[in-house]
Amino acid sequence: EPEVTQTPSHQVTQMGQEVILRCVPISNHLYFYWYRQILGQKVEFLVSFYNNEISEKSEIFDDQFSVERPDGSNFTLKIRSTKLEDSAMYFCASSREPGGNTEAFFGQGTRLTVV
Amino acid sequence: AQSVAQPEDQVNVAEGNPLTVKCTYSVSGNPYLFWYVQYPNRGLQFLLKYITGDNLVKGSYGFEAEFNKSQTSFHLKKPSALVSDSALYFCAVSPTQSSYKLIFGSGTRLLVRP
């Protein structure tokens, strides 16, 4: 069964450092997403990406965040200057159609710890 | 504001008994509703969805959910629980057909005891 894969599974970084989280979506999917879950809190939408541009983003997704699809298979989330409050589990997801029409498939997550 | 509520942090049930995990939503218009399950060290796995049609939706692993528009609820159910159903369950809503995002509830931990 096809799946979304994320690397690394756990990343520890120092405050102020840049970090890139990587994802390989399911190959025939066109819509890509990042969500995050701070420990003990809800899963929150960050951004969606379609046709090489951001289609929707939340207020969490400020100038410190960026997304990119550098090649035909990877989808990345970059945090330019990490803060302690960026510590969370980050989930990548992909779907064949926009969020309302079909289910999204999620990766296993990357746990980001900012120290 | 758009939101999803899962009023129970944890649900305990004995194996073989029916289970219900509750979800209510607050979204204008006709939402699209989803249930996801998360096992330890795994991503969120899709269980079922409601878009339109029958209020009772059947999904993976014997789960079903009932959409109730008047009560704005979408409770997850299973007639006979298994120990292997123990996991974290998330209700989610997509506000519109064209919206790209999912709004998640806080999650409910289901514990099925042998």
Side-chain angles (χ1 to χ4, degrees), chain B residues 5-6 10-11 13 18 20 41 43-44 46 60 74 81 83-84 87 90-91 94 101-102 107-108:
Chain B
Q6 293 181 243
Q10 183 162 311
V11 169
V13 65
T20 298
N41 301 316
L44 299 164
F46 170 78
S60 306
F74 189 56
V83 172
S84 57
F90 291 94
C91 181
S94 180
K101 69 182 180 186
L102 291 173
T108 298

Side-chain angles (χ1 to χ4, degrees), chain B residues 5-18:
Chain B
Q6 293 181 243
E8 303 152 316
D9 289 337
Q10 183 162 311
V11 169
N12 298 307
V13 65
E15 188 174 31
N17 284 357

Side-chain angles (χ1 to χ4, degrees), chain B:
Chain B
Q2 301 167 339
S3 64
V4 176
Q6 293 181 243
E8 303 152 316
D9 289 337
Q10 183 162 311
V11 169
N12 298 307
V13 65
E15 188 174 31
N17 284 357
L19 68 88
T20 298
V21 182
K22 295 179 181 177
C23 171
T24 59
Y25 63 91
S26 175
V27 174
S28 58
N30 296 317
Y32 297 85
L33 297 156
F34 301 79
W35 275 100
Y36 283 84
V37 60
Q38 185 179 29
Y39 297 99
N41 301 316
R42 301 290 299 276
L44 299 164
Q45 295 180 36
F46 170 78
L47 273 181
L48 50 79
K49 66 182 177 186
Y50 172 83
I51 294 180
T52 187
D54 278 343
N55 290 341
L56 187 64
V57 179
K58 293 189 183 298
S60 306
Y61 312 121
F63 283 93
E64 57 190 27
E66 186 168 13
F67 171 64
N68 187 317
K69 189 171 183 178
S70 63
Q71 296 186 3
T72 62
S73 67
F74 189 56
H75 300 332
L76 181 71
K77 301 181 180 185
K78 187 173 182 180
S80 179
L82 299 172
V83 172
S84 57
D85 293 330
S86 298
L88 190 56
Y89 290 81
F90 291 94
C91 181
V93 61
S94 180
T96 66
Q97 180 180 359
S98 58
S99 175
Y100 293 93
K101 69 182 180 186
L102 291 173
I103 301 169
F104 281 87
S106 54
T108 298
R109 187 164 301 280
L110 174 66
L111 182 61
V112 182
R113 58 185 185 276

